[in-house]
Amino acid sequence: MKTLSENRAFGGVQGVYSHPSAACECDMTFGLFLPEQAEDGPVPVLWYLSGLTCTHENAMVKAGAQRWAAEAGIALVFPDTSPRGPGVANDEAYDLGQGAGFYVNASQEPWAPHFQMWDYITDELPTVLFSAFPLAEAAQAITGHSMGGHGALTIAMSFPGRFRSVSAFAPICNPTASDWGRKQFTAYLGADEAAWAGYDATLLMRRYGFDGPMLIDTGTADQFLDLLKPEALAEAMAARRQGGAFRMQKGYDHSYFFVSTFMEEHVAFHAAALLG
């Protein structure tokens, strides 16, 4: 693992690191904020999964999460959204290829050799983090924005007991029924829609739900509402009587202005679950 940068922030350290990934067969980069409390021992960790076109850097510099995480004594992990590099398949469209991994394990060419983001986020990167940094593996939470909200919700529901809480900002809620999902799932996973079900938050909610508190925020002025399909997840949560909060925030759009506005509440929500 290489240290690309480390900067003092809110009493802690915001670092950026790279490492060779066996899952993605390329070097991967991630950001990690360690609060001051990490100097005395392992601290809880909040994963933040970013959306389309983002790298590890977008949320790291725009979401404003470090201030609130430092106060709570929580680490923040900012993974990249896809494999990258000259040998990694790509597409001219912004919503497919590099920057658009959708947190799935691709089975189709030319994506399969590198686009194993599900395994990277759920297996390989945790192994790297918990072996190299003072992080408490038993105290994890997860959140994300847009495509990353989709990833946070699907991963949380697929690993019962791993995450104490889950939240999302404007998540892609029902990708198997949306143009933000059907296009990418066909490319990455093939035409058999049965292979898509494990990557759809609404379908997973109907089948499993989440064994902890949930918080979902979406703006009423979000320019991508027809693609996000928040009503599908809300209906599934109600039908399952899932504990949690689903909020439509009046006048907010899809931007990081929206994310940063409600970040303090999301960090506090996770802190309550992680720290009691």
Side-chain angles (χ1 to χ4, degrees):
M1 187 168 57
K2 297 179 181 178
T3 299
L4 302 183
S5 65
E6 288 184 332
N7 297 95
R8 199 72 174 168
F10 300 102
V13 175
Q14 176 61 65
V16 178
Y17 310 92
S18 69
H19 69 105
S21 167
C24 296
E25 296 188 7
C26 64
D27 285 347
M28 295 292 287
T29 301
F30 65 90
L32 174 67
F33 172 73
L34 287 174
E36 187 174 13
Q37 292 88 333
E39 296 175 6
D40 298 321
V43 294
V45 57
L46 174 59
W47 293 76
Y48 183 102
L49 305 186
S50 290
L52 286 168
T53 75
C54 291
T55 68
H56 69 282
E57 188 177 38
N58 295 72
M60 191 178 80
V61 301
K62 292 181 178 180
Q66 291 90 340
R67 174 182 177 182
W68 314 117
E71 290 186 4
I74 295 172
L76 299 168
V77 180
F78 302 100
D80 203 348
T81 56
S82 77
R84 298 180 190 272
V88 177
N90 201 10
D91 191 273
E92 293 182 357
Y94 75 96
D95 57 357
L96 186 66
Q98 295 186 35
F102 267 77
Y103 305 102
V104 305
N105 279 345
S107 59
Q108 305 299 302
E109 296 295 335
W111 313 107
H114 298 283
F115 281 73
Q116 303 297 309
M117 286 299 294
W118 181 272
D119 283 352
Y120 177 70
I121 295 295
T122 66
D123 184 22
E124 185 175 28
L125 185 54
T127 299
V128 170
L129 289 170
F130 292 117
S131 64
F133 299 99
L135 303 172
E137 189 170 1
Q140 298 183 66
I142 191 167
T143 187
H145 173 227
S146 192
M147 179 185 73
H150 138 78
L153 293 170
T154 55
I155 289 170
M157 286 187 276
S158 298
F159 290 86
R162 178 180 294 194
F163 301 98
R164 296 190 185 179
S165 52
V166 61
S167 73
F169 300 86
I172 301 173
C173 296
N174 192 194
T176 62
S178 167
D179 288 345
W180 265 1
R182 296 191 64 83
K183 169 188 174 180
Q184 293 82 3
F185 287 1
T186 299
Y188 293 143
L189 305 172
D192 182 4
E193 296 188 18
W196 305 359
Y199 300 116
D200 187 302
T202 296
L203 300 183
L204 290 172
M205 176 57 64
R206 291 173 185 165
R207 186 172 182 182
Y208 301 115
F210 178 65
D211 56 347
M214 301 182 71
L215 174 60
I216 314 294
D217 275 322
T218 300
T220 62
D222 193 306
Q223 58 270 47
F224 302 114
L225 276 179
D226 290 343
L227 297 169
L228 301 176
K229 295 191 175 296
E231 67 282 355
L233 180 58
E235 291 168 3
M237 289 176 66
R240 189 171 187 85
R241 300 180 180 177
Q242 169 73 44
F246 190 103
R247 310 188 303 191
M248 297 298 297
Q249 301 289 0
K250 185 173 178 60
Y252 284 90
D253 59 17
H254 200 72
S255 69
Y256 266 96
F257 296 109
F258 157 67
V259 173
S260 60
T261 297
F262 297 100
M263 180 57 71
E264 179 184 5
E265 292 184 41
H266 280 246
V267 173
F269 164 78
H270 291 295
L274 291 168
L275 303 171

